[in-house]
Amino acid sequence: MTVTMTSLLSCLTSSALLTVLAWVIIKYDSSLRVMGRYICVLLTAIIVRILLPVEFGFTITLFSRHLLTGLRDFMFSGLRLGGCYLSVGQILLAMWIAGAVCSIFIRIREYVHSIHIIEKCPGYFKHDVATIIRRINSECGKEGKFCVLLVPGIQSPSIFGLVKPKILMPGGDYTEEEIYYILKHEMLHYYQHDMLVKILCEVFCAVYWWNPAVFVLKKLVARVVEIRVDCLLTAGFSEEEKIRYLQCIVKSMRSGMQERTSLMITFAAQRGEAMMQRFGCIWENHWAEKGRKGLFIAVSSCLLFMASMLFVVEPWYEVDIPGTFEYPDSETSYLLEQDGYYEVYVEDEFVGKVLEIAEPLTGLKIYEEDLKNEE
């Protein structure tokens, strides 16, 4: 199990295609009436794929004669600064790492800043939230402990924290029933491990800061987890109860939206088309249905995920490679290490260049240019 340039490229391509598929499915099925929970299977497959940019032992190699060959040559090209040669691939990698470090630093600073603000906030005193939390825990069969704080600086109720969760309430006036809806909504997010999913998406966005597909995936995940919690909460509600719950969401939306909520899950998270879809799912509550189309999507997601792990595309080498190249003789074949790549010699003749050492080159000796010349 190794990480190579081609395995990373395969990971990014397949996860981007799966993300586009998920976007189309969610966008054009206005109430998720035929998919319900199955859409989570597709989103989970995408997240797992991003977590595994590796090449396994069972991976089947396909060769690209044009696109990847040109990309390989472009990555090899570069410039020499003094006695150091920098290839395009090395420069891009340095930019990627620098951007990821900056993105992670910004999120850590935001998290620390949020903690400093929250620690100064008083407990929520407008209602008996302790009794409401015990009631919700009894309904959910859980025993979680939640600290409810009054945070005048926020506009929408939110949950913050992965280990010691804090429910943040704005300064607006809510009835006891609305407080029950809000607290149960946020507590369900915590019990469904949505905070962990949100943090994982933030890590993806920080590491792959240059990849727009990851940010699209983050928005899709946020939309689906809101719909899932809404449907779990309103399961068994009468039409009148659903109307009051929807009115509570609208009331929260009218109070405003936080400008940045990367480390929180808010009660009124998205507007526009996403909110209309959310309302439709609350009213019809088809989340638990098991339609054939939903099952087809789940199975197809698993098949696409396995296919993306099974195949990897490598650049084709245009040079004429002798038949012995497939199983080169380690006595007469070797690799000559250069700045950022390796030159391949078979039967003491140069046959090409590679960025990574993979089969069938793993058994060959590696020489540095100066040491080889001394021999």
Side-chain angles (χ1 to χ4, degrees):
M1 188 169 65
T2 57
V3 179
T4 64
M5 183 188 72
T6 49
S7 68
L8 178 61
L9 182 61
S10 177
C11 168
L12 295 176
T13 303
S14 57
S15 60
L17 293 175
L18 289 171
T19 300
V20 171
L21 175 61
W23 179 82
V24 171
I25 292 172
I26 293 174
K27 180 177 176 63
Y28 291 101
D29 189 358
S30 60
S31 67
L32 298 180
R33 60 173 56 86
V34 295
M35 287 173 292
R37 67 182 72 172
Y38 289 119
I39 194 62
C40 291
V41 178
L42 176 56
L43 295 177
T44 302
I46 300 172
I47 292 174
V48 174
R49 185 67 186 98
I50 296 175
L51 283 170
L52 297 174
V54 298
E55 185 175 335
F56 294 93
F58 56 79
T59 301
I60 299 173
T61 300
L62 305 176
F63 291 97
S64 169
R65 289 181 176 270
H66 302 289
L67 180 61
L68 287 189
T69 301
L71 179 62
R72 177 204 63 201
D73 295 338
F74 174 71
M75 289 296 186
F76 277 137
S77 64
L79 51 90
R80 184 174 294 277
L81 298 175
C84 179
Y85 177 84
L86 292 177
S87 67
V88 172
Q90 290 173 321
I91 295 172
L92 292 178
L93 179 60
M95 293 174 59
W96 182 359
I97 294 174
V101 171
C102 290
S103 297
I104 292 173
F105 173 77
I106 290 172
R107 284 166 172 80
I108 292 176
R109 186 180 63 178
E110 179 186 350
Y111 176 76
V112 173
H113 178 68
S114 299
I115 289 178
H116 287 164
I117 294 176
I118 292 171
E119 286 179 345
K120 300 176 182 178
C121 294
Y124 191 77
F125 53 83
K126 296 186 178 183
H127 294 277
D128 185 5
V129 293
T131 300
I132 298 174
I133 288 175
R134 286 196 296 269
R135 173 188 169 189
I136 296 171
N137 275 333
S138 177
E139 293 172 353
C140 298
K142 303 287 186 178
E143 297 181 353
K145 296 181 180 180
F146 297 84
C147 180
V148 185
L149 301 176
L150 179 62
V151 186
I154 68 171
Q155 287 75 43
S156 177
S158 310
I159 186 168
F160 176 86
L162 185 61
V163 179
K164 296 181 179 179
K166 296 176 176 61
I167 298 176
L168 314 180
M169 293 295 299
D173 293 325
Y174 290 95
T175 66
E176 184 172 340
E177 182 183 44
E178 290 170 339
I179 292 295
Y180 166 78
Y181 290 149
I182 291 170
L183 293 185
K184 188 168 185 178
H185 180 97
E186 302 302 339
M187 289 169 66
L188 283 174
H189 273 307
Y190 181 78
Y191 288 140
Q192 294 293 317
H193 307 293
D194 291 338
M195 284 301 301
L196 179 61
V197 173
K198 186 171 183 63
I199 291 174
L200 189 60
C201 288
E202 288 298 328
V203 172
F204 287 160
C205 291
V207 175
Y208 295 98
W209 55 269
W210 48 268
N211 187 355
V214 176
F215 290 88
V216 174
L217 176 63
K218 173 186 170 181
K219 290 185 177 181
L220 294 178
V221 170
R223 182 188 295 199
V224 169
V225 298
E226 286 297 331
I227 292 173
R228 179 183 61 178
V229 165
D230 286 331
C231 290
L232 289 174
L233 194 155
T234 58
F237 272 22
S238 64
E239 290 187 357
E240 183 179 351
E241 289 173 318
K242 289 181 180 179
I243 290 174
R244 292 201 296 268
Y245 180 70
L246 293 173
Q247 288 174 338
C248 181
I249 296 176
V250 172
K251 182 177 180 178
S252 178
M253 289 176 58
R254 287 175 177 171
S255 300
M257 300 285 291
Q258 284 93 308
E259 293 183 0
R260 299 193 64 183
T261 58
S262 60
L263 298 173
M264 302 178 188
I265 298 180
T266 62
F267 184 64
Q270 296 177 333
R271 293 176 181 266
E273 178 190 352
M275 186 58 69
M276 294 301 297
Q277 184 180 45
R278 181 181 176 185
F279 281 13
C281 289
I282 292 171
W283 188 255
E284 299 183 18
N285 207 341
H286 290 288
W287 186 258
E289 290 191 2
K290 300 179 180 180
R292 292 183 179 180
K293 185 177 179 181
L295 181 59
F296 171 77
I297 290 173
V299 173
S300 300
S301 302
C302 294
L303 292 176
L304 289 172
F305 169 76
M306 290 187 289
S308 71
M309 303 293 290
L310 183 60
F311 299 99
V312 65
V313 182
E314 299 275 1
W316 179 265
Y317 290 91
E318 296 295 341
V319 295
D320 293 329
I321 299 176
T324 55
F325 182 77
E326 186 175 356
Y327 301 98
D329 186 352
S330 59
E331 296 296 327
T332 58
S333 304
Y334 55 90
L335 302 175
L336 190 59
E337 185 176 1
Q338 300 290 347
D339 292 325
Y341 64 93
Y342 301 90
E343 292 182 349
V344 182
Y345 289 83
V346 176
E347 303 294 338
D348 290 321
E349 293 184 5
F350 173 75
V351 294
K353 302 175 182 179
V354 293
L355 285 174
E356 306 96 6
I357 301 175
E359 291 292 344
L361 307 177
T362 52
L364 300 183
K365 294 181 180 179
I366 303 174
Y367 294 98
E368 294 183 5
E369 187 172 10
D370 295 339
L371 296 179
K372 184 60 181 175
N373 291 336
E374 290 179 5
E375 292 186 5

